[in-house]
Amino acid sequence: MTDLPARRLLLVHAHPDDESINNGATMAKYAGEGALVTLVTCTRGEEGEVIPPDLAHLAPDRDDALGPYRVDELAAAMEALGVTDHRFLGGAGRYRDSGMMGAPQNDRPGAFWRADLDEAAGYLVAVVREVRPQVLVTYDDNGGYGHPDHIQAHRVAMRAADLAADPDFRPELGAPHRIGKIYWNRNPRPVVEEGFARLRAAGPSFPGVGAAEDVPGIVDESVVTAAVSGGERYAAAKAAAMRAHATQIAVDGPFFALSNGLGQPLFGTEYYQLVRGRSGAAAGEREDDLFAGVADGTGNGERAEDEKEQAV
Ligand SMILES: CC(=O)N[C@H]1[C@@H](O[C@@H]2[C@H](O)[C@H](O)[C@@H](O)[C@H](O)[C@H]2O)O[C@H](CO)[C@@H](O)[C@@H]1O
Ligand SMILES: [Zn+2]
């Protein structure tokens, strides 16, 4: 990729829908401000459940046509977010959705959970060395909530960040590139609990109400180091993107539910933990911009020698 935009953000997610749920406002904001936002999705979500009854035939135990359908849902979500650079890890269909932890699908040939880590990371290294992002966003080491594809996406993303910077690793994939800042998706407990209180007060239009502790990446507020506000404009884009994933998500105003029918709050501000690189905020302050303190616009700069690694 030549003539790279000054700011470049790479996000790595497991299934179509995760990007909108976790980072829709962030992606829309930076895309709207002219940054290059690159999304890599590791599977097509073939093993998902299906919410709309008229689409139930797509299910893996019926037509097994959910994967291609979710590819189209993801394209519509990218349109809503204004994101133009989306790839599937290794190409669409290279890795299959593994199902929930413990499901027989975990062991199916081709399941992402069974992927060779360095082979999968190699596909991502090629993207990193092409787009040369200053910022990478992915899940924590539990994948947010323990889904095997989320855990594997975390492992592949973190491994690829290391390999992409190694000049001895597959030089044919491009010049080495060190990603300056790496963030994990987080949700601060007080914000989540307040959102559920709003949901209960509003009276959910969903069959039930979820539990705060089940929200992926929920942590004590002190763990969160960055908060990116999408404002009304980008929060609306996030909601539209989530609606585009209609087989997986039902949206009702400031709330949504997955196929389990359990309502939860939809946040227009998204939260992160900086796990590698240097914060651009003052000591003890949260960042409000993931690119704060980025070394330079080229994204080719090595980290400053005195740069303090975030302890994780
Ligand atoms: C948000 C997310 O990661 N969704 C995954 C997840 O889907 C959940 C799964 O079907 C579960 O059984 C339901 O109760 C829950 O409501 C769903 O969100 O796992 C799917 C299978 O791996 C995956 O396709 C989906 O994207
Ligand atoms: Zn997922």
Side-chain angles (χ1 to χ4, degrees), residues 162-188:
D162 290 338
L163 292 175
D166 180 351
D168 296 328
F169 179 77
R170 300 188 57 189
E172 76 279 8
L173 294 180
H177 175 73
R178 177 181 299 283
I179 300 171
K181 302 173 83 175
I182 300 178
Y183 293 89
W184 292 348
N185 294 307
R186 290 303 193 184
N187 281 294

Side-chain angles (χ1 to χ4, degrees), residues 34-91:
L36 173 62
V37 177
T38 299
L39 170 66
V40 175
T41 306
C42 298
T43 79
R44 295 181 298 174
E46 297 90 342
E47 293 295 333
E49 297 177 346
V50 179
I51 296 175
D54 61 319
L55 296 177
H57 65 88
L58 296 171
D61 59 353
R62 296 208 22 208
D63 298 351
D64 193 19
L66 189 54
Y69 192 90
R70 289 181 74 177
V71 169
D72 291 341
E73 288 186 328
L74 182 53
M78 292 301 96
E79 182 82 22
L81 299 178
V83 172
T84 56
D85 187 12
H86 169 255
R87 315 180 192 199
F88 283 95
L89 186 67

